[in-house]
Amino acid sequence: MATTDRTAKLSLDGQDFELPIHSPTAGPDVIDIRKLYAQAGVFTYDPGFTSTASCDSTITFIDGNKGELLHRGYPIDQLAEKSHFLEVCYLLLYGELPSAKELDDFENLVTRHTMIHEQMIYFFRGFRRDAHPMAVMTGVVGAMSAFYHDSTDVNDPHQREVASIRLLAKMPTIAAMAYKYTIGQPFVYPRNDLDYASNFLRMCFAVPAEDYQVNPILSRAMDRIFTLHADHEQNASTSTVRLASSSGANPFACIAAGIACLWGPAHGGANQACLEMLREIGTVDRIPEFIARAKDKNDPFRLMGFGHRVYKNTDPRATVLKQSADEVLELLGVEDNPLLQVAKELEHVALNDPYFIEKKLFPNVDFYSGIILEAMGFPTSMFTPIFALSRTVGWVSQWKEMIADPQMKIGRPRQLYLGETTRDYIDIENR
Ligand code: ACO
């Protein structure tokens, strides 16, 4: 961390406090308030962390105004076009693009860890058939800590490495099994001759009576969806993983916490909510009605797939996915899909509407991903599990970075207390 010569001055009750300023390699400077409470006896107040950096990191950088997303310095559009998911996983986990040999070894390692402990299958059977696959995933991933004891010691770098590979390799199997369970079909085991994305598609769509022939265009689109969701710096679910792990909890429990957080409609649940919204709108002529509702302060309705805490410009992932949506729908011969027509027109109307322009609300990654996933044959309930399996590598990379940091402390925010001050207990007969 590069500390500058500059300091910020805080004047409080006639006393001045000097606060160091750190310069990142990219992004705005950061005022270091770590010693503020000890020196000045005050806290800062920032619910939602809108102005607070919770950690330092070298993994992912976002410039929300430019609409730029970099993984280890590489722009996401280049990675989406030229790379593929497992190579991006290697980059996120280890910091550099792999050599051909390193990539080959890594892919082999991941491929050979895709099966889950056979006894874990009984866990699935304990869930109701109508359980949401995210509920099943949260439970089953948490339960991994009960099966893989040899990779739960977070102080052992080798165990951390084993846990990382297990999570990355087994998550597609768990997500696919969660899906198969809810539709009452038998589980399909992974196959080592298929790549990561093709394997996942097959585990979701093959049945014992008929194998699933993986179309390379669909497999490429699936891989791209994984790549575009791989990491996104300190978002809510990643921060959840970091906070949970800061207590020293085992990685499987922490990733289960990340999955639980991702489920919410303001985060990973937005792709499901977005597709449901497009269906509800139904036809292009109803768009003005929904735009008016989104702008109405008295209506809780928001345009799903629009707006982002960090991006105040187009989400670069949405641009890539818009193109993928066109390719996939053309391949499947459904390019006149009414949802795509509604999505495109809605985007056009919103981007030209003063409300959205003024508030810098642009389509985010969820706006087009749902259309592609639905065209591939996934039900809406699988959208967020697919996001979770893609984001696992980001959670794991950020977790590894945090645990290896000698400055790591338990995460423990303070509060602005507005409740009662000390008062005496009143016996029940006197209340
Ligand atoms: N539709 C209509 N108005 C919106 C929308 C929207 N989608 N998003 C934000 N606004 C308005 C808010 O009403 C607010 O208006 P105000 O200043 O007049 O009160 C202003 O824009 C700022 O919005 P905030 O909620 O304060 O912004 P925040 O950064 O907290 O929220 C969020 C970001 C949660 C993503 C928000 O834009 C949203 O709810 N979008 C829809 C859900 C969605 O698509 N989520 C996916 C995010 S991406 C991801 O997780 C992969």
Side-chain angles (χ1 to χ4, degrees):
M1 182 161 35
T3 305
T4 60
D5 313 334
R6 294 161 57 223
T7 53
K9 198 185 282 173
L10 175 76
S11 295
L12 190 71
D13 301 331
Q15 226 188 321
D16 284 347
F17 299 92
E18 301 269 332
L19 301 167
I21 297 187
H22 305 301
S23 251
T25 48
D29 283 352
V30 170
I31 302 173
D32 185 341
I33 57 162
R34 279 178 293 179
K35 298 210 169 89
L36 184 65
Y37 177 57
Q39 288 172 353
V42 289
F43 297 146
T44 55
Y45 179 60
D46 185 18
F49 296 106
T50 51
S51 299
T52 300
S54 59
C55 61
D56 49 77
S57 179
T58 60
I59 302 174
T60 291
F61 174 73
I62 303 171
D63 184 328
N65 292 322
K66 273 208 275 182
E68 181 179 67
L69 167 61
L70 308 176
H71 292 321
R72 306 284 190 183
Y74 297 101
I76 190 65
D77 46 328
Q78 290 184 26
L79 294 173
E81 195 196 332
K82 299 181 180 168
S83 183
H84 64 276
F85 183 63
L86 280 186
E87 186 177 62
V88 172
C89 290
Y90 186 100
L91 176 68
L92 289 169
L93 284 166
Y94 307 113
E96 294 296 336
L97 288 170
S99 66
K101 160 99 173 64
E102 285 166 337
L103 181 60
D104 198 41
D105 291 348
F106 180 68
E107 286 183 338
N108 261 314
L109 191 64
V110 172
T111 305
R112 279 169 173 70
H113 281 83
T114 48
M115 284 174 65
I116 60 168
H117 193 294
E118 191 63 15
Q119 232 179 306
M120 285 185 80
I121 286 172
Y122 300 111
F123 256 84
F124 286 87
R125 303 205 199 287
F127 287 97
R128 281 170 55 134
R129 285 275 177 206
D130 57 358
H132 194 288
M134 282 298 275
V136 178
M137 280 183 81
T138 313
V140 172
V141 172
M144 283 174 81
S145 40
F147 285 88
Y148 301 104
H149 299 285
D150 58 344
S151 52
T152 52
D153 178 359
V154 297
N155 298 315
D156 177 344
H158 175 69
Q159 293 205 23
R160 294 204 294 267
E161 186 60 27
V162 174
S164 308
I165 298 295
R166 280 182 172 151
L167 280 158
L168 180 58
K170 296 181 199 308
M171 205 60 88
T173 315
I174 292 172
M177 285 181 167
Y179 171 52
K180 285 295 197 189
Y181 183 74
T182 58
I183 56 170
Q185 288 185 2
F187 298 137
V188 175
Y189 287 77
R191 248 180 41 194
N192 286 355
D193 60 328
L194 293 176
D195 63 68
Y196 196 84
S198 305
N199 217 355
F200 176 64
L201 286 170
R202 187 182 161 275
M203 285 191 287
C204 288
F205 298 125
V207 285
E210 191 174 334
D211 205 0
Y212 175 79
Q213 296 308 322
V214 185
N215 182 310
I217 295 183
L218 291 189
S219 158
R220 175 80 189 123
M222 188 78 260
D223 187 89
R224 203 173 256 182
I225 287 179
F226 293 162
T227 303
L228 292 173
H229 289 83
D231 190 44
H232 215 225
E233 51 117 311
Q234 309 313 319
N235 56 83
S237 57
T238 303
S239 300
T240 300
V241 171
R242 279 189 180 254
L243 190 59
S245 341
S246 74
S247 71
N250 79 69
F252 305 112
C254 298
I255 301 300
I259 296 175
C261 176
L262 186 79
W263 195 358
H267 192 10
N271 51 14
Q272 173 168 349
C274 179
L275 201 87
E276 283 160 0
M277 175 194 75
L278 293 175
R279 273 207 203 103
E280 197 189 340
I281 299 176
T283 47
V284 167
D285 58 299
R286 294 192 66 206
I287 288 175
E289 180 196 324
F290 283 83
I291 292 276
R293 283 186 60 194
K295 291 179 349 188
D296 182 355
K297 280 259 154 275
N298 300 317
D299 189 329
F301 174 77
R302 281 187 169 198
L303 220 51
M304 286 291 135
F306 258 79
H308 198 276
R309 170 61 61 78
V310 183
Y311 291 119
K312 302 301 168 199
N313 201 326
T314 303
D315 180 338
R317 303 167 300 172
T319 314
V320 179
L321 278 182
K322 188 177 181 180
Q323 188 199 336
S324 269
D326 283 331
E327 279 168 21
V328 168
L329 298 186
E330 193 190 327
L331 172 84
L332 298 172
V334 286
E335 57 271 51
D336 54 351
N337 176 313
L339 291 184
L340 187 67
Q341 309 303 332
V342 172
K344 283 190 171 169
E345 184 57 20
L346 186 63
E347 181 185 9
H348 176 73
V349 173
L351 290 179
N352 289 291
D353 187 295
Y355 173 94
F356 292 88
I357 295 170
E358 211 175 279
K359 294 189 189 298
K360 299 188 173 158
L361 299 169
F362 291 86
N364 60 48
V365 69
D366 295 318
F367 195 65
Y368 282 103
S369 62
I371 295 173
I372 303 176
L373 292 173
E374 189 187 64
M376 283 175 168
F378 288 106
T380 45
S381 61
M382 273 305 284
F383 294 1
T384 319
I386 288 170
F387 191 164
L389 97 77
S390 321
R391 183 55 56 84
T392 297
V393 66
W395 293 329
V396 168
S397 305
Q398 303 265 353
W399 163 74
K400 282 181 78 185
E401 179 179 68
M402 190 188 85
I403 299 283
D405 181 355
Q407 292 197 54
M408 204 264 281
K409 273 184 187 310
I410 186 165
R412 191 0 179 139
R414 305 306 294 253
Q415 63 172 5
L416 168 62
Y417 178 67
L418 298 174
E420 298 289 346
T421 52
T422 314
R423 50 181 174 165
D424 287 326
Y425 180 80
I426 305 165
D427 293 330
I428 197 157
E429 59 273 15
N430 297 327
R431 278 177 229 158

